Structure formats: C-alpha cells, structure tokens
Amino acid sequence: MEQWAPTKAWPAVGDYEEEMLTIIDIRTFDIPSLLHPFLQVIRSSSTSAPITSLALVAITKFFAYNLIGRESPRLPLGMQLLSAAITHCRFEASDTAADETVLLRILKLMEDMLSGPGGDLLGDESVCEMMETGLSMCCQMRLSELLRRSAEMSMITMCQVVFERLKSLEAEAGEDVEALDADDERTAQSLKMEPSIDGAHVVSPKKDRIKDPSSAILTDPEHGQNEKTEPSSLDVEKQTNDGNFTRSLASASTIDLTQHSEVNAGDDTTIKPYSLPSIRELFRVLVDLLQPHNRQHADAMRVMALRIIDVALEVAGPSIAKHPSLATLARNDLCRHLFQLVRSEHMGLLNESLRVAGTLLASCRGVLKLQQELFLSYLVACLHPRVEIPSEPGIDPALYEGVPQAPKLVKQPPSQTSSGRSTPVPVKDRQKLGLEGGSRKPDAREAMVESLGALSRIPSFLIELYVNYDCEVDRSDLCEDLIGLLSRNAFPDSATWSTTNVPPLCLDSLLGYIQFIADRLNDEPRYEGFPERQRLLEQRARKKIIIRGATKFNENPKAGIAFLASQGIIDNPDDPYSVTRFLRGTTRISKGILGDWLSKKSHGHLLKAFLDLFDFDGKRVDEALRDLLNSFRLPGESQLIERIVTDFSEKYCASSTPEGVADKDAVYILTYAIIMLNTDLHNPNIKGQKRMTYEDFAKNLRGVNGGNDFAAEYLHEIYDSIKTNEIILPDEHNNKQSFDYAWEELLLKARTAGQLILCDTNIFDADMFSATWKPTVATLSYVFMSASDDAVFSRVVAGFDQCAQIAAKYNLTDALDHIIFCLSSITTMASPQTSSTALNTEVQVGKKSVMVSELAVRFGRDFKAQLASVVLFGVISGKESKIKKGWKHIVRIWLNLFVNSLIPSTFSKAHEILDIAQIPLQPPSQIIDRAENANESGLFQSLTSYLSSYAADDPPEPSEEELESTLCTVDCINACAMSAVFSGVLQIPVPSLQALVNTLLEQMPENSSPVVITVKPERPPAGPARTNGHRTIHQGPFYDPAIVFVLELATVLAMRDAESIATVGQAVADTLYAVVRDAAHAHPLLLSRAVYYLLLLLNASQEHSFIRAPVVLHTISSFDQPILDKAATSISKGLAICVKEPSPLRNEVINTPDFWSLLQSLKDQPEVASDVFELITRAVTSRPSSVTADNYEATVSLLNSFATAGSVGAVIEQKKDRNARKSKPVKTVKPRELEVVDRGFKAVTMIYHLTDRVPSLIEQSHLERNEAWITYWSPIFQALRAQCLNPCREIRHQAFSYLQRSLLSPDLASPDHQEWTAIFGEVLFPLISRLLKPETYQSDPMGMGETRVQAATLLCKIFLHHLVLLSEWDGMLDLWLKILDVMESLMKSGQADSLDEAVPESIKNILLVMADGGFLKPPAEGEESSRIWQETWNRVARFLPHMFRDIFPEARSAEGKPPEGSVVLENPQVEARSPEPKRDRQ
C-alpha cells in the first residue's frame, strides 16, 4: 500500500498551531477555527481510518472536557460544520475492524453532539443528516452485528434527545401547538431522509444538499469503471485503484472550511435550531421502515425501527398526539403498519410490534379511538378460547357461570353463498388477514397477553374502554370482552393452548383492574368534562336493544324490524326512510341479509328510500356503485340484481345526467358491465390469460351510450379503477387491497368518531363493575379452589375483599350476594341440609370440652375451606346492609355450625335481648373424659376403646388427628368474629333486615313435610347419656336445635324496633303460630320456645293487628296437659311480659278466659307457681285494677286455689307442735314450702281486697240484683269459707278474719234487697257444718277447736249485726231457729272445754240483744206468747234448759211452767253430747 501523502488541506495546520499558541483560554477560541483542521482530516478521502479515528477522538474529548461549551464563540456554526463533516466523512479503507472503529467514533460523536450543550443549536438539516447516517448504519446488513447494534443504541439515545425537544417546543408555543405545524411546513418540504437499506449502498443515491457539489469518485466493483455519481450520505463502496481502498461517508462538503476563521467571525449567519420539521421527518422515516409489504425491509430492520419508535413514544408520546402532523403519522401509517405486523409469526417482530402498540396506545390513545378498537378487538379475537371450562372434581360449576365462552365482538360468519360478484374468503385466509383472530402459537399468545397486561396497568384504561366503546352504540363492548378474556385465560387450563405464564399474567391484570377501582372508591367524584352517567346508561341500554334487534333481523328481517320499532329504535316501521336510515347507520346488520331483503319485489319502496340516502353527484358510475355496494352485498339471483341496478341507474341520473353518460339506460348497461368486469378481473377461479382486457371491456359497451360509445378515457379510468381496486366487502376478502380499503374506511369514520375520552374519575366505576363483576368473581372463585400457592391465595383473598368493598360501595347487591355464594360454597358448610349430629362426641379434659363432629373434622382438614370462611365473614363485616340473597348461604353456615356446637347461641345475643336461656343442643352420642383415661396409653388404650365401643354399639372414640382437626376448626371459627357480624346485622336498614328474616323463615320445613322428624324405629331404646358411653335417643318428636335457632334469630330481628315489627313482624308471627298450632307434633323444647317467642312478639306488636291475644291464648290453652306442663315456664314467662305494664294488651289478655284457664293449668307446676301467682297479683293489685266482670270469678277461683295449696303449712305447724311437746329442736323448713304458705296467705288477703271491687262491679253490671249478688259476692264468700277450713292455721285464721270483715261490710247488707241474707245459708251454716265433720277436725286437731269457737262466735255476731234488717225479713224466724240448731250442734260436738262456754255465752248475748230490741219478748199475763218466743224457748231448752230462767225469770214466774212444747229433762245437769273423736296423742 502506498504511503499517504499530504493534501492541500494541511498547509493550514501551521497557522492553526501559531494561533493556538496565542490563546490564553481555549474556551474563548472560535469554535469553527478550533475544529477546522480536524474537520479537514475527517472529510479527507486520503486519510486512513486510524487518522480519521484520532480526529474524531480529539473532537469527542473537546466535548467531554467541556472545552466546547454553551458560551463558546460561534458554537451554532461550529456544530453545523461538525455535523456536516461527520455525516460526509471519507477515509481510506484499511482493515474492517479499523474501519468500523471510525464508524463507532462517528456514532459516539453524534450522540455527544446531540446530548451536549450545543445539541439544541443544530439545524433541522443537520439533525436529519445525523439521523440518516445513524439509520443507514443500522440498516446496512453488510456491516457487522456489533456495529449495527451499537448504531441502534446510539440511535435510541439520539432519538430520545430529539423527541424530548418536542416538550420544549410545546412550552415555547404555549397553547397554540398547531401553529408549529404551520410555521414549519415550508422547512419540512425541503427535508427528506432516505437511509440506505440495499446491499451496495448505505443509502440510495440522491441529490446532495450542499451548494457546490464536488464529485466523489466511486467505483462500481462490478463494472470496474469510474463514473460520476451524486454524493451519498453513507457510501460503503470499496474501490480498487492501485491498491488503494477508500470508504466514503459522503462526498466533500461544498462549505469551504477555510472561510470560517476568527477574522470572519462577525459574518456568521443565524442558524435556526432544529424543531418540528426534522422531528417529523425522522418519525416518518422510522414509520416507513415498518412497511410490512416492502420486501427491501428485512424483519431485523423493522425490529430496530420499532425499538427506536418505542423510545420516541415513551419520551414524547403525549406530545406527538398534540402535534397534528405527528398525530396523523401515528394514527395512519404507524397504526396501519403496526396492526399488520402484530399478525406476524416472527416472535421478535411480534414482541416489538406489541410493545410499540402498547406504548402508542398508552401515550397517544386520545387520538386513536378507532385504531385502539381495531387493535384490541384483534387481540381479544386471538386470545379468547372457544373451549369450555373443564369441570374439576370438587368445584361446583355454578362458581364460574359468569365467564363468557366467546367475546361479544365476534361476528357471525358471512354467508358462503355468492353470486360470483364477490369473493368469499376461507377462514384460514381471513385469519391471516387479521379479520379474525385465528390460532396463534403459544409464545405469541403469551406476548399478546403481556401487551394487554401492560395496557391494563394504566389505572384509567378499562374505564376508558367502557365509556368510549361499551357505552357507544356502534362500538364493540371492549371492556366486557377484555375482562372476559382475562377471566377465561386466568383459568389454569389456558396453559394448554398458550404457556404456563398466561394464567398468572391474566390473573394479575384482573386483580389490577379490581385494585384500581378499589383505590378510587374514596376519591372525590369529578364530573366536569365527562359525559353524563345517565346518558351513557341510556346509550348502553339502547345498544343492547339494537344488538338484539340486529340479531333478530339477521334471522328474520320482518321480526327484527318489528322488535326495533316496538323498542322505539325505529320511529315508524311504515316509513321506509325511518327503516332504511337505521339499517344503513348500523354496522351490526348482515350485509348479505340486507341485500337480499332490499332486493325483494315487495320492498321496492325500501330500496328506493335506501338509495336516496346516498349522494352520487360528481362521481363516476364505478365510484357511485362502489359506495352503494359497500353497504350491502349483491344477492345471488340475477332478477334481484337487475332490480337493484335499475333503481341505482334511476338514482344516479335523478338530479342531472352526468357528463359523458347519455341517460339512465346507459348507466344501467354500464353498471352491469362494471359488475361483470369486477368479477372477471378478481375471481380466483379465472386464469390470468382469460381475464377481460380493456379492449374487451370497451367492445362490450359499443353503442350503448344513447347509440354512441362512451369516451375512451372515461372507460379507461373505470377499467383501471376496477383492476387496481376491486369493489369488495372488506370482511369477505383476504388481500392487501381489502385491508387498505377497510383502513381507509376506518380513517374516514375516525373523523366523525371524535377523540377518546380520558377518564381520570370514578363516576363510571359502578356501572363498569356492574357489567364485569360476574367473570371477575367467577375467576377468583375458580382460582381459589384450584390454586396451591400461598401468594396466589393472598392475592385472590385481597381480590375478593376489594370486590366486596366495591359492590357494597356502589350498592351492587347482586355482586355482593354472588361473592358470598362463591365463598360459602368453598367453605363446604353452606349445604341446604344441616349436617348429621348422630355421631357427635364430646371430649372433656378437666373443665374444658370440645365437640368432635363429622363437620368439624372435615372442615379442620380443609385449609381452603377455613381460609374461605375467614374471608367470607371478613367480607360480610360492615356490609350487612348491602346483602340480599346472600343471607341464604350465611344462615346455612350458621345453622351447621350451631348444631355442631361450633358457635354458641349467645353469638346472636338473643339470651340478652329476649331474656331467655341458651338454646339446648342435641346431647352428644357419647362423652369421652380424657381425664379418666389419662393414665392409659398406647396400643392397650386403643384396643380397649375399640372393643368397648364395638360391644356397646358405640362409635369409636375420636383419634388424636380428628381432635386436632376439630381444634383447628374451633380456632378458625373464632377468627371469623361472627358476633361482630351479628352486631352489624342489628343495625342494618329494614329492607336488608327483611331479606335476612325471609331467608331465616325459608329454612323452616315446608308445610308438606313434617316439622318434626320421627326417629327411626331401629334405634335403641331410650336411656340416659353416660360418660364414655352411648346416648340412646328417645322415641317421639325429634328435636332439631336449628329450627329453634332460626325462630329465635327471626324473633330478635323482628323485635329490633317498631319499623322492623311493622315490616317483618307478621311473617315471623305466622311462622311461630304455625309451630304452636301444631303442638302435637312438635318437640316440647321447640314448642316451649316458640310459645315464648310468640308471646314476646305479641307484646312488641301491640299497635298491629296481625297477631291477636285471644287467638294465641286459646291455642296455647288447648294444649294437652302434659304439653302444657313441659312448656309451663315459657308460657308463664311470656304471659308475665304481656301483662307487665299497663296497656291495652294487658287488659285484653287478662280479660281473655283462656288466660285464666292457662293459669289454672299452670298453677300446680312447682317451677312456675310463683310466676303464675305473680301474674294474678299484678292483675289484682294493679291500679287501675285489671279485675273486671269478665275475669272476676276466674280471679277468685285462682286465688282460692293458691290459698288451698297453702294447706301444706299444716304439716309444718303440726310438726312444730309435736316437737314443742317433746322439747325437740325445730328443723329448718324448705323455702319452697314456706313460699307456698306465703302465697296462700297472700291469696286470702287478695280475695278479701276484691270486696272493694264488688260494689263497682255490681253497679257496672246489667244483672238483676239477686243474680249480681250471687255473681260477685258469692265467689268471695265461698272462697273465704273454704279457706276457713284450711288445715293451715295461719291461712285459716287470716281467712276467718277477712270473712268476718266481709260479712260486716256496710256494702254487703241493704234494706233495698234481701239477697245478702244468703250469707247464713251459703256461707256460715255450711262452714260450721264442715267444721263439725271429723275429717275437718283431724286436719288440725290442735287448732280446729278454736276455729269452731270462732265460727260460733262469728255466726252470732253476724246475726246480731244484721238483726235490725233481718227483723224485716220474712225468713227471720226460720233463720233464728236454724242458728239455734247450729249452736245446739256445736254444743253437742264433743268439744266441751271451749264450746261449753262460748256457745251459751253467744246465745245469751243474742237473747239479751233481741230482748232489748223488742224482737224477743216474754208474754205478759194473760197474753198468748209469740211464735218466736215459743220456738226460741223450745229450742234453747233442749240444750240449755236453764238459759231462759236465768235471762227471763219473770217468764217462769208468770206461767209457772215452761212454754208449751218445751222439753223438760229429768236431770237438767245431764245433756246429750256427741261422742268426742279420739285425738292423736302422738
């Protein structure tokens, strides 16, 4: 190789050195002068690669060491010169490594220039040259891979800087960004980048941009001759000239670098910094490199361009969308190329295309509304599997019912019937074109899912899809389809047709969607700038109707039109314009069906109206026909086609005959010829040589234009148009032309579609979630059931919780109910039937016990069920008011837990609210006391347990594993905090409360099935439960604690407040009454609590009439006595609540005969006697008194019964007497016995106090005097008389005292009536008669004698008290004689010690009083004695012969003999006496 020789550029080096010696600070040196010698070296074609590299390194150091700064003199010019030099660098070729080192240095220097302090001073032309140089290196496939990769990295860095410039331009332009496009339009026209991409040149030859082009001698290696060529930006051409090799980046610059010295520094011209023109040109070139049908562009070049574009979009995506020229490139060419590249099977190209598409949509989607729809629709169609979800064992298919099997956007396949005038496309070809998703490779599917996942990570992305597409009539339901796609692919089986990464990716995206909505829950709603929510809902509803109507139309056009008219979509079905306007305006009608329907003979008016919607003015026939046939497909029958062509011809010539066409007949023939030409030229079944030529086409139309020929130019234009652009329906063809046509249609629609609304608000979240929650929740449920990873569990749990929060926040009760259904299903505890408790075993260890059941063991072994339970009740807590149908599953869980002793009945706080004991559960089948077996262990213990259980037909003892599982269950249930849930339930509004109560009542057995289950007859006979033994079951009604639990909880909720009573009280009362009414078949425990709940509800619902006290009391009182005895406690307690406070209910209850009947039936029950007595005490002593005419007799009777029951006190008294005689200590009396005596004593008192009510009752009654007296006085006297015979002295003495007071009452006797005289015959005489009986005397031998004395005294006292009134009574004499007879009987009763003194004394007093009052007078001399005197004398003389002599001595002296009829005893000292009964001396 010859040595390099100096050139004319080098003489200036000496001057450069001299000048440099005079510089104190190099930073103040003129930049063009500083760079001049280095630029000369760079541009010299005679320098070697190492020398050129050194020059480049030196300049690079100037920038690295800050020798060139922002304040450097003439920096803009220097930057321009440097840019021109490095982009037109020429050097002599050496080895490849050295040559590529120069290129790497150039890349590094260009990168430093743009990124450095003077980068923004470069002009548009300089930036374009630098970018062109870099792109040429990237695209030149003859360069090494390392160089091309380095060039790509440098281009990425430089493009980042260039596109960052857009932000500063926006800041400078302010709000008028569009003005930048107008200002830079002229500059942009002079810029054009053409990077070299062929195999021989880096760029294609083009005109040099410099003023004085000097030729570059380039040798074509194939021709071996020198030729003049225009300079190229990067010419990697080797020339052989005496062994010299040169590489040229560009020809010599026309700028004479020697001109730019410090002397001429003032002559510098202003250089405008680069702006939008160069940025737009760079963006255009990058986009052009993506052309999928350009064979010069390799996939590697497209991948490189995509990477650079991706950086540009990341840096300045929003800015690109703001600039009209850049936005046009993005939404037209860039989207067109991208959406075709994503259909590539080349994975590298597909990945980059998807990445760029994602970045483009993320940053510029505001101006890409329809483009985004096309892209996402394709991905959905590709990724949504048409495979049913496989059924998994243990997973209920109901859990994933909401997952769609296909996206909504999938259209019906077009009809394959054709007239030959359109070309149907096979499915596989349609898939290649991208009109359908088709099948993609697993890796491609994964890449697409990742792209969707990246978009879904934009917080507002899915809500924007919902607002801009799902709520617009003509757009797809992209939001729903995308959520359905993510849901379906999140199922594990999607890995079989994609990759194992797809399910977790889809799940992450789905959970992210939920997370974004949850994050916005508490944000302040922003309405300004967003469409009205109600309008969107109306649009969405209209859209659903249109879709349904279009589907009907495609099946039956007549039915479809009728449906759309009925829904108001078509205003008037009889108006052809109203109908056709809708049909043309919607894209959901099958164009084949539409063509067939319009062409029918009977629809001629509709076809004419349809054609009137088109404007054919100024269009050629083929152009007008193309517009028409784009709206429907021609039918297959020629007759139908003829009808369409005829009407089309008339419409085409309707306004005026177009130039070059004679009339409508000419148009008719020409139209037919165009249709035939279209079919002939584009039918794939016709071979190329047989296709119609222009000459054939023109020949067929000779003389048909009104007798003349059509103009040749006119026909040629038509022929060329049809040949190059087939008249097609885009969705029925597979070539590039169809895609281009469809794309142009999309751009045309985009002009009127408006910009995409960016929705940074939460006002649409409720509607969006309402439309998408079903697949979301279904996926969470399925993944929860099938997952095994803890991280997945935690994320799904969070997803469930967030879904529940969203549903509760926006009142989406259906969603919340379904979430509860899914979680409760996973818990395995929400079965409709409560689990069996037959084998429940209670294990006791010391004071602690645990119930081992089948449910507890199974649940304790199922970790997912436990986790689901905790999640479920965590979800419910705080959201109780939003639940409706979900209560069914919650209640079922409660019941299963309750009957298995896993939650106490106290969790509902019913025992506090209702003041009742806890609900008793079924006793366990056996009780295992581990303390007894603590010393036994090992095989012997197990064998002994097994053998003993087998012998006793007992279930085996629980194993340690079963016990451990049960303890796990207990811990899990405790963690659910169900008490907190119920506390929330008590606060929920009435509508939600009603749903819960209705659910509870639905758990009751239906009327057709027995409320009670009869125990199987093969069960062993009844027997008590024994420790470590088997519990036998009693025959009879089966006790189900779950039913009691339901009734109790329903009662608690119904009685919460007045509003709840009014809403659900009747339903609960009806249920309770049904149980009470069927008492014969109900278990006593169930019945007793149902009665109590019913009475509580009766008391709480006094203001309502749905439950009446008489009906309830009558039903209860009709119970058989054994049933009443078992329910006594509940009945008495419930009645006490009803009559506790003065109220209309208390009056109604107390005045009901069944109330007193119940009390009579219950009084003998020791457990409730005190309660019953308290009831009657409250009735008697209340103010105002509750004793009325209706209950008076019952009250007295019941009090009398209590007083009679106090006779047990006689035993106590007599024991005391015997012990006192024997000087023995007195034993402590049982409290209950004392209570009975005390109640008897109080009962007597209350009987007496009822006398105060008698006068008013008599006055209020409408009875006759005699009947009224018998009704009101007689019961009291009868009761007191009965208690005067009570063996208990305390009660008896009290009764005598009150009887005396009553008989002496001033209200008793009256001269107006004589009914009161019955006190002798009905009260006193029977009383003394009973006292004289031996059995009465024996009931209290020590005290009954005194009672007889009291009775005698009382009789005489009452007689004397009422003597005046009696004297006026006709029966006075008979009464007096009866008294004397009774007194005689007392004298002869054998109790001489007390009666011998008391009776004579009492008679003596009576006689004296009667004598003083003039009622008993001895006869005067000569007078005949009165009858009363005669009868009294005779009667007294029989048992007291000396009484009259002592009282009336004058009577004897007067007559000297006894009165007639008197009996004189021979021995007056001896009197007949009744034998005294023997006394018990013990």
Side-chain angles (χ1 to χ4, degrees), residues 946-1138:
Y946 177 79
L947 292 176
S948 61
S949 299
Y950 179 80
D953 195 21
D954 293 346
E957 292 187 14
S959 64
E960 290 297 328
E961 188 273 337
E962 291 174 334
L963 184 58
E964 185 64 27
S965 297
T966 302
L967 294 176
C968 290
T969 298
V970 172
D971 292 341
C972 177
I973 300 304
N974 291 336
C976 292
M978 296 189 190
S979 296
V981 172
F982 191 79
S983 298
V985 167
L986 293 178
Q987 307 300 323
I988 61 178
V990 170
S992 300
L993 182 72
Q994 186 175 13
L996 173 55
V997 171
N998 291 339
T999 300
L1000 284 168
L1001 299 182
E1002 288 172 1
Q1003 307 307 310
M1004 295 294 294
E1006 297 180 359
N1007 294 333
S1008 58
S1009 60
V1011 176
V1012 179
I1013 303 174
T1014 304
V1015 180
K1016 295 181 179 180
E1018 61 267 20
R1019 277 293 193 189
R1026 56 187 177 86
T1027 304
N1028 292 352
H1030 182 67
R1031 176 187 60 84
T1032 57
I1033 301 178
H1034 292 276
Q1035 295 286 344
F1038 179 76
Y1039 172 61
D1040 186 358
I1043 297 179
V1044 182
F1045 179 86
V1046 167
L1047 295 177
E1048 182 172 289
L1049 190 53
T1051 304
V1052 169
L1053 297 176
M1055 294 175 56
R1056 188 187 67 174
D1057 50 41
E1059 189 179 2
S1060 62
I1061 291 175
T1063 305
V1064 301
Q1066 182 171 1
V1068 177
D1070 291 345
T1071 304
L1072 292 170
Y1073 185 71
V1075 176
V1076 173
R1077 187 175 51 191
D1078 196 24
H1081 300 95
H1083 191 279
L1085 283 175
L1086 168 63
L1087 181 63
S1088 64
R1089 297 184 80 98
V1091 168
Y1092 181 67
Y1093 303 150
L1094 185 60
L1095 291 174
L1096 285 179
L1097 193 56
L1098 172 64
N1099 180 64
S1101 59
Q1102 297 185 32
E1103 298 178 358
H1104 304 277
S1105 60
F1106 54 77
I1107 178 172
R1108 303 302 303 169
V1111 177
V1112 174
L1113 295 177
H1114 178 74
T1115 303
I1116 298 174
S1117 65
S1118 63
F1119 291 172
D1120 294 338
Q1121 190 60 42
I1123 296 177
L1124 273 176
D1125 293 344
K1126 294 178 180 178
T1129 302
S1130 298
I1131 295 173
S1132 63
K1133 194 172 182 179
L1135 291 174
I1137 293 174
C1138 291

Side-chain angles (χ1 to χ4, degrees), residues 22 45 145 171 235 250 258 276 344 385-386 421 426 456 485 489 516 533 632 654 820 1036 1074 1096 1252 1295 1339 1372:
T22 62
S45 62
E145 178 73 14
D235 191 316
T258 59
L276 190 60
S344 172
R386 311 298 198 277
R421 295 165 180 82
S456 66
L485 163 70
N489 282 277
F516 289 138
R533 178 188 173 193
F632 65 84
I820 292 173
L1096 285 179
D1252 298 337
S1339 64
M1372 166 66 176

